Amino acid sequence: MSRNLLGLTLLAVVLCAFPFFSGEFYINLISQILIAALFASSLNLLVGYAGLTSLGHAAFLGFSAYLSAWLFLKMGWSHGEIAPVALAGTMLLACMFGWIALRATGLGFLMLTLALSQVLWGVAYRWVSVTDGDNGLRGLSRPMPLGIDLEDPIHFYFFALGVCVVAIWMMYLFVRSPFGAAVQGTRDQARRMSALGYDVWMIRWLVYIYAAFWAAVAGLLYIYYHKYIHPTTLSLTSSAEALLAVIAGGSGTLAGPLIGAAIVVVLKNYVSAYIERWNMLLGFVFVMIVIFMPEGLVPGIKRWLSRNKGGQA
């Protein structure tokens, strides 16, 4: 078992014990971190492993949440019927968005993903009969899987933790698989992979859809937690926060997006209660990380520990 996986296993054990030693506020805070961590990890599949920097990943989280809310409120469907439809619908959207965005790479890809997500953001604001516009969709309830009432913060916490653990494990298997190696090959040497007979565009398209799937799962957790959805969920800010979490924690690592998401959520939900300009503090923290650990916190800490260990030896 790799050190990353061992560390994540220990973290999962600590998180399982956490609700028994903390209050409701911190349980809800960690629940939000878990959702943000899952979303950031899905983006990390693109940024860290495929070398595709996206500024429109919130489109998939927001679309999944909006579709789930609309089917529940407007169509009267049950949560059991809604979840697979929301995931399938988001993957279809990713098929179309990926087909468009992957016609470019680098900066062109980044700008196309931003443009496509802004189309959805505009639709959410303007299609009032479906999305209720700036008022958002509200009045939702949480599901009751296997009769477990997720309205209880502790029950929801363990539900979100279970989903997050399964998702991270599935992403770990994905990046360690032969296909995951091919994805990283297209990141490092796209021309060489093409010369070896690999369909680079298809590989990138498939990982784009896979990343969108986990973003859609995060979108379902998001709507279950908040029981409300607003167009800002689809905004550039949401995508940028996830990208910031990936870069700050360390792209191309399992633990990096989790740590980065924790930093962003804590600053956004906890520090903002004491500091009005919390986003300036977030920017300052990010600048410090870039200056002292440009590769991200997780790789930077590993480098620092190995350097100290080598110095002691």
Side-chain angles (χ1 to χ4, degrees):
M1 182 182 291
S2 68
R3 291 183 179 180
N4 270 349
L5 198 56
L6 179 60
L8 290 173
T9 302
L10 292 174
L11 177 61
V13 172
V14 172
L15 289 174
C16 285
F18 177 80
F20 304 104
F21 302 97
S22 59
E24 184 174 328
F25 172 81
Y26 293 101
I27 292 173
N28 286 328
L29 182 64
I30 300 297
S31 295
Q32 293 181 69
I33 291 175
L34 290 171
I35 297 170
L38 175 54
F39 180 49
S41 296
S42 70
L43 177 58
N44 186 43
L45 292 174
L46 292 178
V47 178
Y49 294 101
L52 299 169
T53 304
S54 170
L55 262 179
H57 206 58
F60 305 121
L61 180 146
F63 183 81
S64 173
Y66 258 110
L67 183 56
S68 175
W70 181 77
L71 290 173
F72 182 82
L73 295 173
K74 308 289 185 177
M75 303 299 291
W77 288 21
S78 67
H79 287 293
E81 298 169 322
I82 289 170
V85 173
L87 295 176
T90 305
M91 291 180 72
L92 286 174
L93 180 73
C95 289
M96 181 179 66
F97 277 15
W99 181 75
I100 297 171
L102 287 169
R103 292 175 178 273
T105 56
L107 183 59
F109 174 82
L110 183 145
M111 295 307 296
L112 280 172
T113 57
L114 173 59
L116 290 169
S117 70
Q118 290 303 287
V119 169
L120 280 187
W121 174 78
V123 169
Y125 259 113
R126 298 299 180 183
W127 200 358
V128 178
S129 60
V130 173
T131 65
D132 284 355
D134 194 36
N135 293 321
L137 293 173
R138 56 215 175 276
L140 290 94
S141 64
R142 292 177 181 173
M144 296 183 64
L146 303 176
I148 301 172
D149 184 11
L150 296 186
E151 295 291 345
D152 186 301
I154 295 180
H155 291 169
F156 183 87
Y157 171 88
F158 280 111
F159 177 74
L161 178 61
V163 172
C164 195
V165 167
V166 170
I168 299 300
W169 175 249
M170 294 297 292
M171 292 184 214
Y172 170 78
L173 295 179
F174 177 82
V175 299
R176 293 294 297 270
S177 69
F179 184 79
V183 170
Q184 295 173 65
T186 63
R187 174 197 64 192
D188 299 330
Q189 294 288 343
R191 290 184 179 180
R192 182 173 295 180
M193 291 292 289
S194 181
L196 290 172
Y198 288 90
D199 189 337
V200 173
W201 186 92
M202 181 60 68
I203 291 172
R204 288 173 171 171
W205 188 60
L206 291 175
V207 74
Y208 187 87
I209 296 169
Y210 188 68
F213 171 80
W214 290 116
V217 173
L220 290 177
L221 289 179
Y222 181 93
I223 196 68
Y224 294 160
Y225 177 82
H226 293 282
K227 297 184 286 186
Y228 171 76
I229 186 72
H230 187 271
T232 53
T233 309
L234 294 157
S235 68
L236 170 61
T237 302
S238 297
S239 294
E241 287 177 358
L243 183 59
L244 183 63
V246 172
I247 296 172
S251 63
T253 65
L254 283 175
L258 311 185
I259 294 175
I263 293 172
V264 172
V265 173
V266 168
L267 287 173
K268 185 177 181 180
N269 293 275
Y270 187 77
V271 176
S272 61
Y274 304 96
I275 301 175
E276 183 177 355
R277 303 292 183 181
W278 68 270
N279 48 358
M280 293 180 64
L281 179 60
L282 177 61
F284 176 77
V285 170
F286 180 69
V287 168
M288 290 298 102
I289 292 173
V290 169
I291 291 174
F292 295 104
M293 296 181 179
E295 67 271 58
L297 283 172
V298 170
I301 292 172
K302 285 182 178 179
R303 173 172 52 82
W304 181 77
L305 290 175
S306 63
R307 182 186 299 172
N308 283 354
K309 186 181 296 185
Q312 291 175 358

